[in-house]
Amino acid sequence: MTTWGIFVAMMLLVMGLVLLILGIFAAYFGSGKVRTFGGVLAVLGIIVGFLTYLLRVPLGIRVTLVIYNGLLYLVSAIVGAVIALLIFLAVLLKS
């Protein structure tokens, strides 16, 4: 798998996880429309996580690449979390 493929897979995984967590948070603490949007975000997080699982490819990582891949995972996790947070804020502010 290419570096770009690893980046995209981790970004989607983290984005799905953060959407799920924020969706549960919004559905539990929200009221009215926010509660509905929280449920939609949670379902969207589950769908993104499931698609990431279906698209995964077993990675053969050499020991010399572990540090490099770790930094790549960190950056992709941050990007996925920021995207999910922006989606959450957009839904929150629209309601």
Side-chain angles (χ1 to χ4, degrees):
M1 183 175 237
T2 64
T3 303
W4 183 248
I6 295 170
F7 177 82
V8 170
M10 286 303 295
M11 182 185 69
L12 287 175
L13 183 65
V14 171
M15 188 172 74
L17 182 64
V18 171
L19 279 173
L20 177 66
I21 292 170
L22 292 176
I24 291 170
F25 180 79
Y28 185 76
F29 291 109
S31 63
K33 286 184 183 179
V34 175
R35 188 167 277 192
T36 304
F37 288 131
V40 171
L41 286 177
V43 170
L44 185 62
I46 292 170
I47 291 171
V48 170
F50 185 69
L51 287 176
T52 304
Y53 176 77
L54 291 179
L55 297 175
R56 70 180 169 84
V57 175
L59 299 174
I61 298 174
R62 295 183 309 208
V63 176
T64 57
L65 297 177
V66 171
I67 295 172
Y68 176 73
N69 286 334
L71 291 174
L72 186 66
Y73 294 154
L74 180 63
V75 171
S76 63
I78 291 170
V79 169
V82 167
I83 291 171
L85 182 62
L86 290 174
I87 292 171
F88 173 75
L89 290 175
V91 168
L92 189 66
L93 293 176
K94 292 274 182 184
S95 60

